[in-house]
């Protein structure tokens, strides 16, 4: 253990893997934030923490059964000449679930159903946690397979997973509150999750799509929307100031 702590290569691998786990966990945080937003306000933070802790324990559990992970890449059956493994099946089903759930949320937002039947009433705590568990499994599997390809020492992998989830716990609440306050950001996030679902399905059929392109497109869209939000706030402040001055000087 001491030689591992004294190894610069181990620390470099830990830092790299922690950063990678954080990047891969962004879509997980967004999905959890959107789901817990359907609960009463007093239960959202508790559900968010449970979701993140479940993600951590699921990833550690998967790391401890690496032999099973390796076995998931063996073909189970063939569809139209395409070999489908256990990993492919999980990615395809998870991607379809993500597409369905995100599309449903977009439909509810566009149709304005939230205004007439609050989401907090429609969603139960158990159903939200169950949905978080399903998507945690998909994102955890993708994350762990990436980790296995990068680092050989399981102890480094577990440490990186714990560190990344601890950091995600710190940022999850501000991200969730920001998404809840800005409907346009929520719509962007849901659109992003649809794309992630499509990417997962494509990877399940062995069509690799570099996620860097997806994350760059999302980051660019968020940057543009951030400018729009700033512009709207500035315009609103100017309108308020103008109305105040006109009220002080009638006629």
């Amino acid at each position: 253990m001491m030689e591992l702590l004294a190894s610069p290569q181990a620390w470099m691998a830990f830092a790299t893997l922690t950063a990678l786990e954080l990047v891969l966990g962004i879509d997980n945080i967004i999905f959890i934030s959107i789901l817990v937003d359907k609960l009463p306000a007093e239960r959202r933070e508790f559900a968010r923490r449970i979701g993140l802790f479940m993600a951590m324990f699921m990833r550690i559990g998967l790391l401890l059964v690496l032999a099973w992970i390796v076995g998931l890449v063996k073909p189970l059956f063939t569809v139209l000449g395409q070999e489908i493994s256990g990993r492919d099946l999980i990615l395809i089903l998870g991607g379809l679930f993500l597409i369905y759930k995100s599309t449903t949320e977009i439909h509810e937002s566009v149709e304005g159903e939230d205004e007439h039947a609050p989401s907090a009433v429609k969603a139960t705590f158990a159903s939200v946690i169950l949905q978080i568990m399903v998507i945690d499994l998909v994102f955890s599997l993708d994350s762990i397979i990436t980790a296995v390809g990068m680092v050989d020492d399981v102890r480094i992998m577990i440490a990186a997973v714990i560190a990344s989830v601890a950091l995600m716990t710190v940022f999850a609440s501000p991200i969730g509150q920001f998404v809840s306050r800005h409907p346009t950001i929520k719509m962007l996030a849901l659109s992003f999750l649809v794309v992630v679902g499509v990417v997962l399905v494509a990877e399940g059929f062995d069509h690799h799509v570099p996620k860097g392109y997806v994350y760059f497109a999302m980051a660019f869209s968020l940057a543009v929307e951030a400018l729009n939000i700033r512009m709207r706030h500035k315009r609103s402040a100017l309108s308020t100031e103008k109305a105040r001055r006109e009220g002080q000087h009638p006629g």
Side-chain angles (χ1 to χ4, degrees):
M1 186 65 181
M2 291 304 298
E3 67 275 8
L4 190 66
L5 293 174
S7 171
Q9 291 83 2
W11 283 104
M12 188 176 298
F14 168 76
T16 304
L17 191 55
T18 300
L20 182 63
E21 291 290 327
L22 276 172
V23 172
L24 291 174
I26 290 174
D27 37 19
N28 205 351
I29 290 176
I30 293 172
F31 189 80
I32 290 174
S33 297
I34 291 172
L35 281 179
V36 301
D37 203 35
K38 301 169 77 67
L39 293 170
E42 65 274 9
R43 307 199 73 183
R44 290 174 189 169
E45 188 61 30
F46 180 57
R48 185 180 290 114
R49 291 183 182 278
I50 286 182
L52 287 171
F53 277 116
M54 282 194 307
M56 180 181 71
F57 288 121
M58 198 170 290
R59 292 180 188 192
I60 292 175
L62 290 174
L63 282 172
L64 296 177
V65 287
L66 288 178
W68 179 69
I69 296 289
V70 172
L72 286 176
V73 299
K74 295 178 180 178
L76 297 177
F77 53 87
T78 303
V79 177
L80 300 175
Q82 177 70 50
E83 293 181 339
I84 303 296
S85 66
R87 172 185 178 272
D88 295 334
L89 195 59
I90 292 175
L91 290 178
I92 291 169
L93 293 177
L96 290 174
F97 172 77
L98 198 56
I99 293 170
Y100 165 76
K101 191 62 188 175
S102 302
T103 304
T104 303
E105 292 289 337
I106 290 173
H107 174 74
E108 290 180 1
S109 298
V110 171
E111 292 298 321
E113 293 179 15
D114 290 339
E115 297 176 6
H116 305 290
S119 298
V121 175
K122 294 187 291 182
T124 65
F125 188 83
S127 68
V128 168
I129 294 299
L130 182 62
Q131 292 176 72
I132 290 174
M133 286 178 66
V134 171
I135 212 62
D136 272 348
L137 174 61
V138 178
F139 287 137
S140 295
L141 185 67
D142 195 31
S143 170
I144 293 310
I145 289 174
T146 302
V148 171
M150 282 188 60
V151 180
D152 296 325
D153 196 313
V154 177
R155 293 172 297 177
I156 295 177
M157 295 182 201
I158 293 176
V161 166
I162 294 173
S164 63
V165 171
L167 289 171
M168 281 192 282
T169 303
V170 173
F171 294 115
S173 184
I175 289 174
Q177 292 171 7
F178 182 74
V179 170
S180 298
R181 285 197 308 267
H182 300 91
T184 52
I185 293 293
K186 182 178 179 179
M187 190 63 66
L188 273 177
L190 287 168
S191 303
F192 167 63
L193 290 173
V194 171
V195 175
V196 172
V198 172
V199 170
L200 290 175
V201 173
E203 288 188 357
F205 286 104
D206 290 334
H207 294 289
H208 180 64
V209 180
K211 288 188 177 179
Y213 295 138
V214 179
Y215 288 129
F216 174 78
M218 187 60 186
F220 180 78
S221 300
L222 285 174
V224 172
E225 186 54 34
L227 292 174
N228 283 331
I229 291 173
R230 183 178 177 84
M231 182 181 69
R232 286 195 293 269
H233 283 177
K234 188 173 183 179
R235 186 178 297 170
S236 176
L238 289 174
S239 298
T240 303
E241 179 65 19
K242 182 179 179 181
R244 187 182 64 81
R245 289 178 179 177
E246 290 177 351
Q248 290 178 347
H249 304 285

